[in-house]
């Protein structure tokens, strides 16, 4: 089976691709700011704890599910479970939704890279402020669609090349290049006068409040939820990616070691990305700089490069290329989830799927939904937005990008992880998973116990908690009321989901046969 579907050319190639899927926009615009705002090292320690007990165990399980069944997400759930078969569909659908905006953001990166390139070529010509540039770009729907299209074409060409011939090849060059670019930007950022403030913001507990970056320290519960959500998104879990990439692994590859490396590398790049962007932004603008989200990338940093003088555009080109590579390596992983599903499906019908054609249709479908997000321009162009304008729900929901984001990452990701852990922990048991993990790895006598504790208790409870908070966010109508009643309702729904699916799992015939 391995040969027919293709597999990774080497373990290093797999690692590069897995790290590539994990390292993305989340590392650059999410992690550093959240770490600073939520108390520096305290946040980092919580993040690591969650990464070890939740992230690491889910990552190993997903890789094992893929390799054990030799199938993408839908096939893997079908093969393993009797009551949670449908969860695989969730993990194909969510990447599709994420891609609607990830590709648009990728397009922005191409646009900014070309912009800096032309500033470099026509040095001395008048340049615009970041905010004006960003505004102009967003209100030019045609331009945004074209750049999204360009991004899509790059992804199409890579995915068409297949696992070892496309994805692995791209990451083998892309990831080392990304690292080198990152180091260059860090050196520039840290040597700007005033950079130390930014470093203190990131690492010193309480500094964010003391130096006036934020008004008050968030509560422990909210730090925990932030760290959990970020860890999840950043490691690309519960999106079918890890199952899909696992299904192309060879039996000789070591799942434990590889998972450790991916978690470690992703966290390292997140911290490094923080050192690349936060000190530079703070050195140029002080505590009032916007330090997260699209505005950090496309307004604050663009201004930072312009303030650097003649060399600015050069750093601009390097930086946006760096972000672009990070975005491509995540987008191709998301696309591959859908492509692998369709190819597996064709094979199960006795046909041989045609990769080129499949990739083409998948990319076309993504392009169509992405066009809506691109034309919307973060809400600048008054495109109809579901719910908010009609029903008045949700402050987050004044543009299509946030809507797609809140739905996919906010709800679908934690829900997917919750269901997966209940399925393994309570329905099919951890044994088939740990047996698979032990192929190609030395026997670890505590592994089964560790996975049992994680997947039966820690992960479901942590996920129900994160999901509850997100449901609260999703339905909070008034920003003033955030953190109040709606959240209790959200947590209530999270707990109810946990109990209902737990009951479904423990009464499953599969569990009865096993016990
Ligand atoms: N992990 C990527 C990041 O940090 C984003 C991503 C999330 C990619 C989910 C795929 C799936 O930005």
């Amino acid at each position: 089976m391995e040969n027919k579907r293709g597999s990774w050319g080497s373990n290093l190639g797999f690692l590069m691709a897995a790290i590539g899927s994990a390292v993305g926009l989340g590392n650059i615009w999410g992690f550093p700011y959240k770490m600073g705002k939520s108390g520096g090292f305290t946040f980092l320690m919580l993040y690591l704890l969650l990464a070890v007990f939740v992230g690491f165990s889910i990552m190993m399980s997903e890789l094992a599910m893929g390799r054990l069944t030799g199938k993408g997400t839908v096939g893997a759930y079908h093969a393993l479970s009797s009551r949670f078969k449908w969860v695989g569909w969730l993990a194909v659908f969510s990447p599709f939704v994420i891609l609607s905006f990830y590709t648009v953001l990728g397009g922005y990166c191409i646009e900014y890279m070309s912009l800096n390139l032309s500033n470099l070529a026509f040095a001395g010509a008048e340049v615009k402020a970041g905010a004006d540039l960003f505004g102009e770009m967003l209100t030019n729907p045609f331009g945004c669609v074209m750049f999204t299209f360009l991004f899509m074409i790059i992804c199409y060409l890579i995915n068409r090349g297949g696992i070892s011939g496309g994805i692995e090849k791209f990451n083998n060059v892309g990831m080392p290049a990304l690292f080198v670019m990152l180091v260059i930007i860090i050196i520039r950022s840290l040597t700007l006068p005033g950079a130390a403030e930014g470093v203190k913001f990131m690492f010193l507990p309480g500094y964010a409040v003391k130096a006036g970056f934020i008004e008050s320290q968030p509560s422990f519960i909210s730090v925990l939820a932030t760290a959990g959500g970020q860890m999840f998104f950043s490691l690309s879990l519960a999106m079918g990616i890890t199952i899909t990439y696992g299904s192309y692994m060879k039996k000789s590859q070591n799942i434990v070691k590889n998972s450790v490396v991916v978690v470690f590398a992703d966290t390292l790049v997140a911290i490094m990305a923080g050192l690349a962007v936060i000190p530079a932004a703070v050195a140029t603008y002080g505590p009032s700089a916007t330090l997260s989200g699209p505005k950090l990338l496309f307004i604050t940093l663009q201004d930072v490069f312009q303030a650097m003088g003649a060399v600015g555009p050069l750093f601009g080109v390097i930086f946006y290329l760096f972000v672009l590579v990070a975005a491509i390596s995540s987008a191709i992983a998301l696309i591959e989830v859908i492509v692998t599903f369709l190819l597996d499906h064709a094979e199960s019908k006795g046909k041989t799927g045609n990769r080129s054609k499949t990739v083409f249709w998948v990319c076309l479908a993504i392009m169509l939904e992405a066009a809506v997000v691109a034309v919307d321009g973060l809400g600048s162009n008054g495109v109809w937005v579901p719910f908010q304008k009609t029903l008045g729900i949700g402050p987050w929901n004044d543009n299509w990008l946030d809507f797609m984001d809140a739905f996919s990452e906010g709800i679908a990701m934690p829900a997917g992880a919750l269901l997966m852990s209940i399925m393994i922990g309570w329905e099919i048991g951890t044994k088939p998973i740990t047996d698979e993990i032990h192929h190609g790895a030395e026997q670890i006598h505590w592994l089964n116990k560790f996975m049992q504790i994680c997947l039966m208790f820690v992960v479901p409870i942590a996920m129900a908690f994160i999901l509850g908070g997100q449901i609260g966010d999703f339905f909070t109508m008034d920003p003033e009321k955030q953190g109040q009643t709606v959240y209790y309702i959200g947590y209530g729904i999270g707990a109810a989901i946990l109990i209902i699916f737990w009951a479904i799992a423990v009464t499953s015939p599969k569990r009865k046969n096993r016990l």
Side-chain angles (χ1 to χ4, degrees):
M1 184 179 300
E2 257 173 21
N3 291 341
K4 207 159 158 213
R5 290 174 89 242
S7 61
W8 302 104
S10 70
N11 191 53
L12 187 70
F14 158 76
L15 262 179
M16 290 293 141
I19 294 173
S21 89
V23 171
L25 295 168
N27 300 57
I28 304 164
W29 81 28
F31 184 90
Y33 179 69
K34 289 179 190 166
M35 177 167 155
K37 193 182 72 165
S38 313
F41 262 122
T42 333
F43 176 87
L44 185 60
M45 288 303 126
L46 268 178
Y47 181 94
L48 289 176
L49 226 58
L50 282 164
V52 170
F53 286 99
V54 181
F56 180 55
S57 58
I58 299 184
M59 182 167 289
M60 290 199 295
S61 310
E62 290 199 350
L63 289 175
M65 278 172 72
R67 190 172 69 177
L68 174 65
T69 57
K71 291 271 182 294
T73 350
V74 173
Y77 276 96
H78 262 260
L80 290 171
S81 170
S82 59
R83 294 234 161 132
F84 292 84
K85 289 187 166 145
W86 54 278
V87 178
W89 288 100
L90 191 68
V92 170
F93 184 64
S94 322
F96 185 68
V97 177
I98 289 201
L99 280 162
S100 72
F101 62 87
Y102 221 80
T103 50
V104 176
L105 294 166
Y108 294 170
C109 292
I110 303 184
E111 197 162 347
Y112 267 67
M113 196 180 73
S114 351
L115 208 97
N116 278 281
L117 209 57
S118 90
N119 286 350
L120 193 65
F122 304 103
E126 207 199 324
V127 285
K128 291 195 177 116
D132 294 339
L133 272 177
F134 197 46
E136 272 173 30
M137 181 180 83
L138 293 180
T139 47
N140 174 5
F142 180 73
C144 289
V145 171
M146 283 333 280
F147 280 103
T148 306
F149 186 58
L150 210 60
F151 182 83
M152 212 61 248
I153 290 179
I154 301 175
C155 295
Y156 163 75
L157 292 173
I158 300 171
N159 283 84
R160 203 184 58 165
I163 292 295
S164 59
I167 297 179
E168 188 171 341
K169 262 199 190 137
F170 173 80
N171 284 298
N172 273 343
V173 179
M175 285 302 112
L178 178 136
F179 199 79
V180 172
M181 291 189 277
L182 187 53
V183 171
I184 297 176
I185 308 162
I186 291 180
I187 296 175
R188 176 65 281 209
S189 164
L190 288 181
T191 48
L192 288 169
E197 283 298 292
V199 180
K200 284 191 204 151
F201 164 77
M202 276 181 72
F203 291 96
L204 267 191
Y207 194 75
V209 180
K210 209 168 84 194
F213 286 90
I214 51 165
E215 270 176 22
S216 59
Q217 190 73 30
S219 67
F220 181 75
I221 290 282
S222 103
V223 173
L224 195 67
T226 312
Q230 174 65 26
M231 182 275 297
F232 230 74
F233 179 68
S234 192
L235 292 178
S236 302
L237 298 171
M239 279 287 125
I241 293 181
T242 320
I243 297 182
T244 305
Y245 276 13
S247 75
Y248 293 106
M249 272 176 119
K250 296 191 178 117
K251 292 282 182 201
S252 56
Q253 286 180 262
N254 186 323
I255 289 184
V256 184
K257 279 194 188 142
N258 281 315
S259 303
V260 173
V261 176
V262 176
V263 173
F264 177 79
D266 184 63
T267 313
L268 181 72
V269 172
I271 297 175
M272 288 176 69
L275 291 175
V277 299
I278 304 278
V282 172
T284 316
Y285 288 101
S288 60
T290 304
L291 296 176
S292 70
K295 283 193 179 151
L296 166 73
L297 287 191
F298 301 114
I299 298 182
T300 314
L301 287 168
Q302 177 60 24
D303 283 339
V304 167
F305 298 128
Q306 258 151 40
M308 279 180 191
V311 291
L314 179 63
F315 283 102
V317 174
I318 299 176
F319 178 76
Y320 291 108
L321 182 61
F322 155 73
V323 185
L324 180 64
V325 172
I328 293 176
S329 56
S330 295
I332 53 178
L334 288 163
I335 294 173
E336 189 54 38
V337 174
I338 310 169
V339 171
T340 295
F341 154 63
L342 292 171
L343 290 178
D344 283 353
H345 184 72
E347 200 188 280
S348 71
K349 292 253 144 49
K351 298 182 212 138
T352 336
N354 179 327
R355 177 172 274 272
S356 292
K357 264 197 205 151
T358 311
V359 175
F360 175 80
W361 287 110
V362 169
C363 288
L364 188 69
I366 295 165
M367 189 58 224
L368 292 179
E369 54 160 359
V372 178
V373 179
V375 169
D376 182 45
L378 286 178
S380 322
N381 302 323
V383 176
W384 176 78
V385 174
F387 297 125
Q388 202 237 0
K389 299 226 169 81
T390 20
L391 302 176
I393 295 179
W396 46 268
N397 185 20
D398 60 358
N399 66 69
W400 270 90
L401 192 147
D402 282 350
F403 173 72
M404 298 296 218
D405 189 22
F407 174 73
S408 52
E409 275 160 39
I411 309 279
M413 271 177 112
L418 176 68
L419 294 168
M420 186 205 78
S421 58
I422 293 181
M423 176 197 85
I424 299 179
W426 296 93
E427 189 195 20
I428 66 166
T430 46
K431 193 162 180 308
I433 300 295
T434 45
D435 283 352
E436 182 62 33
I437 294 174
H438 275 139
H439 277 291
E442 50 287 351
Q443 298 289 313
I444 306 172
H445 64 275
W446 48 264
L447 187 70
N448 204 29
K449 264 265 118 30
F450 173 79
M451 295 294 272
Q452 262 174 358
I453 295 171
C454 290
L455 293 172
M456 290 174 88
F457 305 104
V458 184
V459 181
I461 293 171
M463 282 343 312
F465 176 71
I466 292 175
L467 181 64
Q470 297 285 359
I471 294 176
D473 273 346
F474 202 85
F475 289 109
T476 306
M477 300 186 195
D478 179 354
E480 303 276 305
K481 294 205 186 87
Q482 281 199 358
Q484 295 175 25
T485 342
V486 186
Y487 279 84
Y488 295 115
I489 300 173
Y491 289 128
I493 298 177
I497 294 177
L498 177 71
I499 295 167
I500 292 170
F501 284 105
W502 175 78
I504 290 177
V506 289
T507 53
S508 160
K510 230 173 176 143
R511 176 180 169 86
K512 299 221 173 85
N513 293 343
R514 165 169 74 85
L515 295 177

